[in-house]
Amino acid sequence: METQAGIVSKPLVDFHGIDEELVQKMVHDALVWSSLHGLVVGDKNVQRSGKVPGVGMVHAPFALLPVAFPENHFKLACEVAPIFNQLIDRVSLDGKFLQDSLSRTKKVDVFTSRLLDIHSKMLEMNKIEEIRLGLHRSDYMLDEQTKLLLQIELNTISCSFPGLSCLVSELHRSLLKHYGEYLGLDSKRIPSNNTVNRFAEALAKAWTEYNNPRAVVMVVVQPEEHNMYDQHLLCAALKEKYNVKAIRKTLAEIDAEGELLSDGTLSVAGQAIAVIYFRSGYAPTDYPSEAEWRARLLMEQSLAVKCPSISYHLAGTKKIQQELAQPNVLERFLDDKEDIAKLRKCFAGLWSLDDTDIINRAIERPDLFVMKPQREGGGNNIYGDDVKQNLKRLQRDGTEEDAAFILMQRIFPTVSSTFLVRNGICHKDRAVSELGVYGAYLRNKDKVIINDQCGYLMRTKVSSSNEGGVAAGFAVLDSIYLT
Ligand code: ADP
Ligand code: MG
Ligand code: MG
């Protein structure tokens, strides 16, 4: 198959002719490797596995072999990462743009409305974030027909798998070192992947900028977290490489133990906090009571570096993604024409639901669209016939509820055979993949300290499934084999 740049993409191995015994050997080796190297998650079948480290671990779901990916598209995704970082930073500074763009959404989406309330309060206080840290992941699918790398979304909060993604690349490299000769594959074609150390470096440098040697990094966590080892890998790198200590607190604990000192320092259980790294707080379920909202506001008011700040969080919503794709909007935030052109080329069709032409087209051909609410974490989007039903219902009701959603062009990546390994069992299936490229951005006032791509995550899911989250149970972790 020819891509635009003339690069051939075909399945890596002959999945029909492959020796079954070889597959079983590789699965066995991969399972041992995962257990020994911490490519693990909490096992939901074991009661305390989401709370107590070391209890009830199971290997993270993974693809047995990396997926073929064209080198030019991989390079492009890496190249635009710093531009997206800069864009998010610029957008975050335009409080009016964020409030205006989300003003209709605010009326019908209680969760977004609460976030906007915190944002409004910060605007009223004239709160200035001098040290700004973004740890992002921009996700893409390669559209088979157009051969375009199209952005699915840009995550600015709680980007998962900076730790486990590196391990999957290492697992695949290790398998190819042993079995590559039989398979005709070269382990060197798997690009190096160092997200865990790059993110640790960014957290450490933000900590340094904060400039209080006694302060610590605080990871905001969910009360139960089955993906805790991914987070622990990052904190271990932070401790071992940079000698920076991290504590873990839930939003409820921060409400109970946190206070704002008179100089603006955030203190939690008597400990000064330099950097707040959110791995919770992105979903309505993270705020079961007012306590959690109080904690979020308390943190936002403090001097601590927030990853993300409320502005960065809002800049990563789907509504803002859609607004940025409108004509002449990128130009408000970026100066370099080439940069603008590069980003725009990654944008899929994105529409707000007040566009009647597009609504009618989507009712006619719902299979070509995805309907998205302002939510994170997977499992929230609407596909296929449900798009049609929901759009018709919204038209009938004539309320403003449509403002909760955006419409997006559905992207159709190439389907290929894959071995998916889950819970110690390998099965072959037809699958599609989504590439995520991590980016880190750190600045203090006018000084940009870091603006870089930091590594990648490939996620592969059976092609019959619409959604793609690994934690949500739809996808497996994967890496790439450059072609
Ligand atoms: P979330 O913030 O919940 O991860 P996403 O926008 O990433 O929301 O959507 C979740 C999943 O749905 C993606 O990982 C992808 O598998 C699928 N998806 C999202 N948008 C599209 C699209 N435009 N075309 C095809 N699949 C999509
Ligand atoms: Mg997301
Ligand atoms: Mg996503």
Side-chain angles (χ1 to χ4, degrees):
M1 192 182 305
E2 285 284 301
T3 69
Q4 265 175 344
I7 285 177
V8 174
S9 84
K10 59 175 182 354
L12 278 186
V13 295
D14 168 16
F15 280 84
H16 300 292
I18 195 164
D19 178 4
E20 190 53 36
E21 229 175 273
L22 176 67
V23 173
Q24 287 316 317
K25 262 200 237 165
M26 284 197 294
V27 170
H28 174 83
D29 287 4
L31 292 172
V32 171
W33 194 98
S34 304
S35 316
L36 296 183
H37 292 82
L39 179 50
V40 293
V41 292
D43 179 354
K44 286 184 177 147
N45 298 312
V46 178
Q47 211 207 345
R48 291 180 302 148
S49 61
K51 289 195 192 259
V52 189
V55 172
M57 294 136 92
V58 62
H59 73 89
F62 59 82
L64 188 60
L65 290 167
V67 60
F69 201 81
E71 188 164 13
N72 60 334
H73 286 113
F74 177 60
K75 279 190 173 150
L76 175 67
C78 294
E79 210 178 289
V80 292
I83 312 174
F84 274 118
N85 288 340
Q86 191 192 8
L87 175 66
I88 292 294
D89 191 64
R90 293 273 176 90
V91 169
S92 81
L93 297 176
D94 193 336
K96 189 169 180 315
F97 172 76
L98 289 172
Q99 287 284 340
D100 289 352
S101 304
L102 289 160
S103 61
R104 277 189 75 236
T105 309
K106 186 178 163 80
K107 291 188 200 158
V108 291
D109 180 337
V110 181
F111 178 65
T112 309
S113 168
R114 295 292 306 252
L115 296 175
L116 283 164
D117 286 342
I118 295 176
H119 181 252
S120 293
K121 282 199 180 111
M122 295 308 115
L123 290 178
E124 278 160 31
M125 283 170 60
N126 199 20
K127 181 83 170 57
I128 291 167
E129 300 294 328
E130 283 178 336
I131 308 171
R132 301 197 290 279
L133 172 65
L135 296 177
H136 304 146
R137 198 189 65 228
S138 182
D139 294 331
Y140 305 88
M141 278 179 174
L142 190 49
D143 188 57
E144 183 173 34
Q145 233 174 24
T146 59
K147 301 287 176 265
L148 289 172
L149 183 79
L150 296 178
Q151 186 180 51
I152 295 285
E153 62 155 348
L154 176 66
N155 294 290
T156 58
I157 182 165
S158 299
C159 301
S160 54
F161 303 120
L164 297 189
S165 62
C166 304
L167 290 179
V168 181
S169 299
E170 266 182 64
L171 164 67
H172 284 159
R173 225 173 274 125
S174 148
L175 285 173
L176 291 197
K177 271 187 196 143
H178 285 98
Y179 299 101
E181 224 176 293
Y182 299 100
L183 299 165
L185 299 174
D186 176 4
S187 66
K188 291 191 200 71
R189 302 297 301 167
I190 300 171
S192 68
N193 199 3
N194 201 17
T195 320
V196 73
N197 291 323
R198 303 297 305 281
F199 270 24
E201 179 194 358
L203 286 164
K205 285 192 168 161
W207 177 86
T208 304
E209 289 301 312
Y210 187 80
N211 198 22
N212 174 356
R214 283 177 309 282
V216 297
V217 170
M218 177 170 73
V219 186
V220 183
V221 296
Q222 294 177 339
E224 254 201 286
E225 177 58 89
H226 289 96
N227 195 24
M228 69 166 98
Y229 302 100
D230 179 54
Q231 302 168 1
H232 287 306
L233 284 162
L234 180 57
C235 292
L238 186 62
K239 176 113 193 81
E240 281 156 25
K241 297 196 111 168
Y242 300 96
N243 201 27
V244 174
K245 187 182 154 192
I247 60 169
R248 294 167 67 82
K249 293 283 176 190
T250 64
L251 287 165
E253 285 166 343
I254 295 163
D255 177 57
E257 302 166 13
E259 60 175 325
L260 209 54
L261 305 185
S262 56
D263 66 351
T265 303
L266 175 67
S267 164
V268 176
Q271 174 89 73
I273 307 299
V275 182
I276 306 165
Y277 171 53
F278 285 85
R279 289 297 291 264
S280 172
Y282 55 84
T285 45
D286 293 333
Y287 302 84
S289 74
E290 283 306 306
E292 289 78 13
W293 285 113
R294 276 197 303 270
R296 183 73 193 260
L297 178 63
L298 181 83
M299 288 187 278
E300 201 63 36
Q301 287 169 319
S302 78
L303 281 179
V305 182
K306 297 129 202 113
C307 181
S309 65
I310 194 77
S311 312
Y312 267 51
H313 185 172
L314 289 170
T317 55
K318 274 120 191 138
K319 179 63 193 169
I320 296 298
Q321 177 188 10
Q322 179 259 312
E323 283 290 326
L324 290 170
Q326 302 252 68
N328 301 317
V329 179
L330 282 181
E331 283 79 358
R332 285 174 59 179
F333 300 104
L334 296 174
D335 309 313
D336 190 301
K337 291 222 157 52
E338 269 176 45
D339 284 356
I340 292 171
K342 273 187 204 154
L343 296 198
R344 192 157 278 141
K345 223 172 157 212
C346 302
F347 289 165
L350 287 153
W351 302 273
S352 103
L353 271 67
D354 48 16
D355 180 338
T356 35
D357 286 352
I358 209 72
I359 301 292
N360 290 332
R361 230 167 79 202
I363 288 173
E364 244 168 67
R365 292 295 308 272
D367 50 313
L368 300 181
F369 295 85
V370 181
M371 208 171 145
K372 297 189 178 186
Q374 311 307 305
R375 290 292 177 273
E376 296 297 330
N380 299 300
N381 298 339
I382 299 169
Y383 302 87
D385 201 49
D386 292 342
V387 170
K388 181 172 163 178
Q389 299 312 331
N390 275 284
L391 289 177
K392 282 178 133 177
R393 176 178 59 80
L394 291 172
Q395 267 188 340
R396 250 194 336 265
D397 293 354
T399 59
E400 291 207 78
E401 209 212 313
D402 64 301
F405 300 94
I406 61 156
L407 265 179
M408 184 172 182
Q409 161 198 350
R410 180 146 188 185
I411 302 161
F412 294 97
T414 306
V415 178
S416 56
S417 287
T418 317
F419 291 112
L420 307 141
V421 186
R422 201 183 270 288
N423 205 16
I425 298 161
C426 175
H427 63 273
K428 193 168 86 176
D429 213 322
R430 311 277 291 156
V432 295
S433 298
E434 179 174 352
L435 174 72
V437 171
Y438 294 97
Y441 187 86
L442 175 66
R443 72 183 288 158
N444 190 352
K445 297 180 189 134
D446 288 337
K447 185 174 57 163
V448 177
I449 299 156
I450 302 175
N451 183 13
D452 210 355
Q453 64 88 10
C454 293
Y456 63 91
L457 165 73
M458 197 65 162
R459 284 172 301 172
T460 294
K461 62 168 183 178
V462 292
S463 53
S464 54
S465 153
N466 290 320
E467 288 278 335
V470 175
F474 303 107
V476 299
L477 300 173
D478 204 342
S479 73
I480 60 182
Y481 189 94
L482 296 179
T483 57

